[in-house]
Amino acid sequence: MNHLEKYVLVINPGSTSTKLALFLFQESGVAEKVEKTVEVPLQIIEEKPHYLDQISFRLSQVRSFLKENGVSENQLVCIASRGGPIKPLPAGTYKVTKHVCDDIMSGRVLTTHSSLIGPVVAYNLSQEWGIPAYFTDPVSVDEFIPEAKVSGLPEIPRYSALHALNMRAVARKYADSVGKTMDDLTAVIAHLGGGFSIGAMEKGRLIDSTNPNEDGPFQLERAGSLPISDFVDYIYDNWPDLKALNRRISGKGGLVAYFGTNSFKDILSLSKEDKNKALVLQAMYYQVGKYIVAMNAVLKGSAEVIILTGGIMHNPEAIDGIKRYTSWMKKPYAVYPGGYEMEALALGAWRVMKNVEPLKDYEVSDYGN
């Protein structure tokens, strides 16, 4: 690559792979130059099943990625990392600091997830190279109104965990397309990928949303909301251990439990061959539509647009299936298939470095203790 060009390095770890990208840092924004997904070998996962034990290996993946693309650390303006479920935070971009890493390493987080290795890797490299590292709109973004946090049991409140990064990215894209800022936008946003988040955005703030691991429609691999009494009976009758139970409802639930595959392309094909499977797929559209309507109710009917995003939205049949239950609201639709997480991370870093928006403060707290 051109040695005069400057780049944002983007790091997005998953449980079995790491997405890496280089974005050209420009006056007007960022432009993707290269993106690659590098696998984490099964041997590493078996030897070091806890993601925080994989730090040195993930660091080596980043170094190899830069070397194979002919980019040196002195060409990097900053690092942009996925944030993960750190702790409840307002939306925005934060600097990765020692305090952030201390919270992750000591378990003061909303929940454990492999994405939490991202800020730790980014911080290590930022200290070595003398450049800042940032994370933007983690899944623990919490802008819920108080009513959204009340459940039917005081000891089990609802909490915010959602695909905030992509939801806010597409909201910003839509707002730009109609000559508005995201802070002026009120919309229902449905992220429908591997997990589903259906949220209500009021003036740029996600004031309520389904939680892909807790409630909402059933998804590709997740069970969503379940009949609670029957679920309690199921737990006692089957005596599963906690890990197996969690795996059943998040990993082996949802469409994969009915179809035996998490490939939506295969699910569409199978639904055309089997009327029972067709009913299950229709039920998923039904549930997605039901929660879209519910989130518009949260907004008192004021949503100006329904935004659909995520990998499932590459399929026109899925879009039509959802509209069957929501078109009566007479709202316009904006569809952004796939995900924009890598670009959103790079742009979040760019905006704070260019003073387009302020850097948010990450305050050390005793959350999780």
Side-chain angles (χ1 to χ4, degrees):
M1 291 191 183
N2 188 332
H3 291 286
L4 298 177
E5 293 178 333
K6 297 294 184 181
Y7 301 98
V8 180
L9 169 65
V10 181
I11 303 172
N12 185 351
S15 58
T16 61
S17 64
T18 307
K19 289 183 181 178
L20 299 167
L22 288 165
F23 282 79
L24 188 64
F25 191 92
Q26 301 171 314
E27 283 299 313
S28 58
V30 299
E32 184 179 292
K33 298 293 284 189
V34 61
E35 180 178 332
K36 183 178 183 180
T37 299
V38 290
E39 301 300 320
V40 178
L42 181 60
Q43 181 182 350
I44 295 291
I45 296 172
E46 291 176 342
E47 291 175 357
K48 302 176 179 181
H50 196 282
Y51 55 88
L52 292 179
D53 295 329
Q54 301 172 13
I55 293 172
S56 60
F57 179 78
R58 304 276 186 147
L59 282 165
S60 70
Q61 287 185 312
V62 177
R63 298 184 200 280
S64 296
F65 173 72
L66 292 178
K67 184 176 180 181
E68 70 184 45
N69 286 287
V71 172
S72 62
E73 59 267 26
N74 58 19
Q75 291 178 263
L76 300 177
V77 175
C78 64
I79 304 167
S81 170
R82 184 179 177 189
I86 299 181
K87 65 178 182 179
L89 293 167
T93 296
Y94 296 79
K95 188 174 182 180
V96 182
T97 63
K98 184 177 183 299
H99 292 149
V100 173
C101 292
D102 286 347
D103 278 354
I104 292 172
M105 298 299 291
S106 60
R108 292 193 298 270
V109 294
L110 182 68
T111 186
T112 58
H113 191 270
S114 54
S115 57
L116 288 167
I117 200 172
V120 180
V121 169
Y123 181 73
N124 276 270
L125 293 173
S126 72
Q127 294 302 292
E128 178 183 340
W129 297 338
I131 58 175
Y134 303 101
F135 66 89
T136 299
D137 294 339
V139 297
S140 55
V141 161
D142 183 359
E143 298 179 318
F144 275 18
I145 54 176
E147 303 94 299
K149 296 187 177 184
V150 179
S151 74
L153 287 176
E155 59 268 38
I156 309 177
R158 293 185 73 239
Y159 65 93
S160 178
L162 68 166
H163 294 86
L165 184 62
N166 193 53
M167 294 168 81
R168 284 173 52 82
V170 295
R172 185 174 277 108
K173 285 180 180 294
Y174 174 78
D176 287 345
S177 74
V178 295
K180 305 178 70 166
T181 67
M182 186 176 62
D183 291 341
D184 294 325
L185 180 65
T186 294
V188 175
I189 307 173
H191 172 101
L192 307 171
F196 294 1
S197 294
I198 303 174
M201 175 174 278
E202 183 177 58
K203 300 298 181 183
R205 297 173 65 250
L206 288 162
I207 63 170
D208 195 356
S209 177
T210 61
N211 179 331
N213 291 322
E214 300 287 344
D215 57 23
F218 66 87
Q219 304 151 53
L220 279 176
E221 299 178 336
R222 305 180 199 186
S225 297
L226 292 169
I228 188 65
S229 295
D230 288 343
F231 184 52
V232 170
D233 290 341
Y234 170 82
I235 295 171
Y236 278 89
D237 290 345
N238 290 275
W239 292 101
D241 63 58
L242 182 60
K243 186 174 181 179
L245 178 61
N246 283 330
R247 181 63 178 161
R248 175 59 177 160
I249 62 177
S250 183
K252 294 184 177 180
L255 289 175
V256 74
Y258 291 93
F259 286 82
T261 178
N262 63 0
S263 165
F264 196 71
K265 181 179 179 181
D266 292 342
I267 287 168
L268 286 173
S269 296
L270 290 167
S271 69
K272 292 178 173 62
E273 302 167 1
D274 184 323
K275 65 179 183 181
N276 292 321
K277 285 183 168 55
L279 174 63
V280 172
L281 183 58
Q282 191 65 29
M284 188 201 77
Y285 298 149
Y286 165 85
Q287 291 194 10
V288 169
K290 182 166 66 172
Y291 281 95
I292 287 174
V293 174
M295 288 302 160
N296 190 41
V298 168
L299 298 168
K300 302 179 181 66
S302 65
E304 58 199 79
V305 63
I306 299 168
I307 301 176
L308 304 176
T309 186
I312 287 178
M313 293 299 93
H314 284 294
N315 302 278
E317 292 177 51
I319 297 170
D320 290 342
I322 293 165
K323 285 183 176 180
R324 191 174 301 126
Y325 297 100
T326 57
S327 59
W328 62 269
M329 291 191 293
K330 306 298 182 184
K331 305 286 185 181
Y333 295 84
V335 182
Y336 296 90
Y340 298 84
E341 287 89 353
M342 302 299 276
E343 178 189 56
L345 290 170
L347 281 171
W350 178 88
R351 286 194 299 271
V352 298
M353 294 199 76
K354 286 291 187 179
N355 296 314
V356 174
E357 66 181 47
L359 184 67
K360 293 293 180 71
D361 289 328
Y362 182 96
E363 295 181 0
V364 180
S365 77
D366 61 358
Y367 180 82
N369 286 342

